[in-house]
Amino acid sequence: MADQVELFYAPQTRATGVRVLLEELGAPYKLNVLNLKLGENRTPRYLAVNPAGKVPALRVGEAVITEQVAIYIYLADLFPEKGLTPSLDDPLRGPYLRWFVHMASCFEPALIDRALKREEPPHSMSAYGSFDTVMESMRAQLAKGPFVLGERMTAVDVLWGMGLRWGTMFGIVPEFEEFTAYIERFAERPSVVKVLQEDQNMAREQEDAAVQAGVA
């Protein structure tokens, strides 16, 4: 890698999973930490990186990548020697991409509708079908093995490990046995332990800074 990986970051956000993935890849990276409580994600400088003002965002050389699924796929492909991405001719490549997109197009929209107590759209118009269908589909997939793709861990497990963890913490995702066992295994990984602990410390420091600035 000639170009440094720079991750625009805020603790306890979707960017947390990206940092876990970088740790799993053993990739060198630079953290560009933003304090969302101070509005650092709404400055002209950061909006030039991501006009939505959201994290994560990634910069590698001249390339800027936003949207968490795109970032996961990009990073795993950037370090193929780490074995966290199936090659293009691997039969697992299709299912690997499927479950990445399922998170963005089905799982998260279903969770948001449920969290906001919004009525589900008609099945014929819904991007995800129904909340129960989304949950049962993932439940069935995780019943096949310890990882999303069965016996092999890939980058998509970091995405789902974080997504299911957050969803159950907030009481939105049902606590199916398949989900809880998967989350417990994921939470024991050294990369997860390290990043979540550092996130707690970082979040505390940012809260203190916001209090001192009178915006907390």
Side-chain angles (χ1 to χ4, degrees), residues 40-210:
E40 292 175 353
N41 58 314
R42 305 303 305 174
T43 63
R45 183 177 180 181
Y46 184 64
L47 292 177
V49 175
N50 186 354
K54 299 178 74 68
V55 293
L58 197 73
R59 183 158 55 199
V60 183
E62 297 299 317
V64 173
I65 307 96
T66 64
E67 315 315 317
Q68 67 170 344
V69 168
I71 291 171
Y72 277 77
I73 295 171
Y74 179 89
L75 283 174
D77 284 346
L78 199 61
F79 300 94
E81 70 279 4
K82 303 300 183 179
L84 292 184
T85 178
S87 61
L88 290 177
D89 58 354
D90 189 320
L92 289 176
R93 182 71 182 189
Y96 170 79
L97 295 175
R98 171 197 176 187
W99 290 109
F100 264 124
V101 176
H102 190 74
M103 168 65 79
S105 64
C106 298
F107 184 81
E108 283 203 350
L111 255 62
I112 291 169
D113 281 349
R114 180 60 59 95
L116 296 178
K117 296 180 170 54
R118 294 193 296 223
E119 184 178 352
E120 289 185 359
H123 193 277
S124 60
M125 298 176 63
S126 174
Y128 58 84
S130 72
F131 180 88
D132 290 341
T133 298
V134 171
M135 297 303 139
E136 289 294 344
S137 295
M138 198 61 214
R139 181 185 192 181
Q141 186 66 19
L142 291 179
K144 298 177 182 179
F147 303 110
V148 173
L149 299 182
E151 297 299 322
R152 177 181 175 184
M153 179 183 170
T154 63
V156 79
D157 285 292
V158 180
L159 182 71
W160 279 99
M162 295 301 297
L164 289 171
R165 178 180 177 274
W166 282 105
T168 54
M169 280 177 57
F170 288 102
I172 308 169
V173 171
E175 294 189 10
F176 295 144
E177 181 180 349
E178 294 84 354
F179 288 174
T180 56
Y182 181 77
I183 294 166
E184 287 172 3
R185 290 192 299 271
F186 177 74
E188 292 173 352
R189 300 188 69 83
S191 62
V192 179
V193 174
K194 172 187 175 180
V195 172
L196 292 184
Q197 181 59 59
E198 291 184 5
D199 256 22
Q200 285 187 356
N201 298 336
M202 198 182 299
R204 194 177 302 116
E205 291 171 0
Q206 291 194 345
E207 179 68 28
D208 290 345

